[in-house]
Amino acid sequence: MLPFTRPSIGEAEQQAVQEVLASGWITSGPKVQAFETALADYLGGGVQVRLFNSATSALEAVLYASNIGAGDEVIVPAMSFVATANVVVRVGATPVFVDVDLLSRNLSADAVAAAITEKTRAIMPVHFAGRAVEMTPIYSLAEKHGLLVIEDAAQAIGTRYRHQKIGASGNPVCFSFHPNKNITTIEGGAVACADASLLARLERIRFHGISRDAEGNMDVTEWGGKMNMPDVSAAMGLVQLGRLDGFNRRRRELARRYLENMPEHPALILPQDVEGHSWHMFCICLDFNRLATSRQQVQQQLAQAGIGVGMHYPAMPGFTLYQQQGNRLEDYPQAARIGEQTMTLPLFPDMRDEDVDRVCKAMEAILGGAAK
Ligand SMILES: Cc1ncc(COP(=O)(O)O)c(C=O)c1O
């Protein structure tokens, strides 16, 4: 069975983990510091990095550290993994959804501008599947309205926007190292930013609110949670980071092969290969209004051919929690359409060219047999 994704874990990761396990210090310590420095160097832009146990924790901590809470609104795309909206709810604020573009699956500055109210405090763009949001107009809009930009770059490690890495901009940018992501620490996340006082607060918030003076005396000056990354994970992250550009090159090769070999069909919408894309996922849409089949049937046919797919994602305003907050799925037609028609085809660095060809042939046969 060809899965839709699989992490590339080799000897070097296993040895790095083994060394930490044998060292006697397995939770946050020197490997976390080393990974923070290495990741900041990789991103460039003079930013610093603080590691977390997930991107969800990282996003939550940034919102909390930015004093965003009850009565505040945060603009998020209607199409993302639900963590993007859940973290806003977690700090007591309200996620305000905006619709996305059908092809890029990203929000636009125009959509954001139309959603700004007196309560808006932050914009949280998501770089969907590794494709960068058009950020320049978002930064201008944020500056004009005095808003914070918190980037959910969970899917965008290694993505470039206008020749700069996502994460190098200086405003808070959060990454995920979940096993499905372009590099993994099993579970893990990071914040990159250039604001020293925000970084200091993030350090406290990720570990019980504790701060220490020069003599090492402990004080607790504010609330903090338990969101730190262990050294075992950081050691793995250090090795994975060294492999990231190679992984992303291979992802792009495979994506291009898909784009060259997928059948042309009026019901099939393919993703676009744009500059700087890190190809976290290869997500297609199938217009089932034009096909005599359903997504479930296509999924079953692919499974019979030994091919696994993912569904990324149901549109967030359709979830019960967000319906209860007064959202209506029909107000987000593109996100709703993606939610119903999306399918994530296999894409991971250890895939072979023949695997791509096999998926393309299977898709051709399925679409050929589903004429209306
Ligand atoms: C867009 C987006 N945001 C946030 C997250 C949460 O990441 P984590 O699993 O590291 O908490 C994910 C994970 O899938 C994601 O895709």
Side-chain angles (χ1 to χ4, degrees), residues 53-57 59 80-84 126-128 152-155 175-178 181 187-189 280-281 313:
N53 56 8
S54 69
T56 306
S57 296
L59 288 162
S80 181
F81 180 57
V82 72
T84 308
V126 174
H127 306 287
F128 196 96
D152 180 342
Q155 305 183 1
F175 296 101
S176 170
F177 308 122
H178 174 273
K181 301 302 187 288
E187 299 285 353
H280 166 54
M281 295 190 287
Y313 300 94

Side-chain angles (χ1 to χ4, degrees), residues 348-360:
F348 53 90
D350 291 339
M351 246 173 97
R352 301 162 307 167
D353 289 355
E354 305 89 270
D355 295 323
V356 173
D357 299 348
R358 188 158 74 83
V359 178
C360 292

Side-chain angles (χ1 to χ4, degrees), residues 123-287:
I123 308 167
M124 202 191 284
V126 174
H127 306 287
F128 196 96
R131 176 171 174 166
V133 169
E134 201 49 64
M135 288 307 294
T136 305
I138 304 266
Y139 292 137
S140 310
L141 198 61
E143 204 178 322
K144 186 171 150 202
H145 293 272
L147 306 175
L148 188 64
V149 179
I150 301 168
E151 289 169 56
D152 180 342
Q155 305 183 1
I157 186 81
T159 297
R160 277 172 288 112
Y161 174 68
R162 301 204 171 167
H163 307 294
Q164 197 185 37
K165 299 253 173 56
I166 290 292
S169 46
N171 57 289
V173 180
C174 299
F175 296 101
S176 170
F177 308 122
H178 174 273
N180 284 357
K181 301 302 187 288
N182 289 22
I183 56 172
T184 185
T185 59
I186 304 177
E187 299 285 353
V191 180
C193 83
D195 177 343
S197 61
L198 184 69
L199 285 157
R201 276 201 80 185
L202 290 174
E203 261 180 46
R204 289 196 293 271
I205 289 164
R206 76 176 170 183
F207 200 70
H208 310 288
I210 293 173
S211 56
R212 291 186 188 276
D213 65 16
E215 280 87 48
N217 298 308
M218 170 179 153
D219 193 11
V220 176
T221 50
E222 65 175 326
W223 173 86
K226 183 73 169 70
M227 309 177 181
N228 57 304
M229 177 186 279
D231 260 18
V232 172
S233 289
M236 211 171 140
L238 271 165
V239 178
Q240 289 264 294
L241 183 63
R243 302 176 67 192
L244 175 59
D245 286 345
F247 287 159
N248 286 357
R249 269 195 300 278
R250 181 63 185 149
R251 284 178 176 276
R252 163 160 265 143
E253 273 173 20
L254 293 163
R256 287 191 172 153
R257 194 171 183 93
Y258 267 127
L259 293 173
E260 277 163 22
N261 295 344
M262 281 294 266
E264 268 184 43
H265 192 285
L268 174 63
I269 301 175
L270 295 171
Q272 298 163 311
D273 185 24
V274 297
E275 175 65 28
H277 203 318
S278 65
W279 286 105
H280 166 54
M281 295 190 287
F282 192 92
C283 302
I284 62 169
C285 269
L286 287 172
D287 185 353

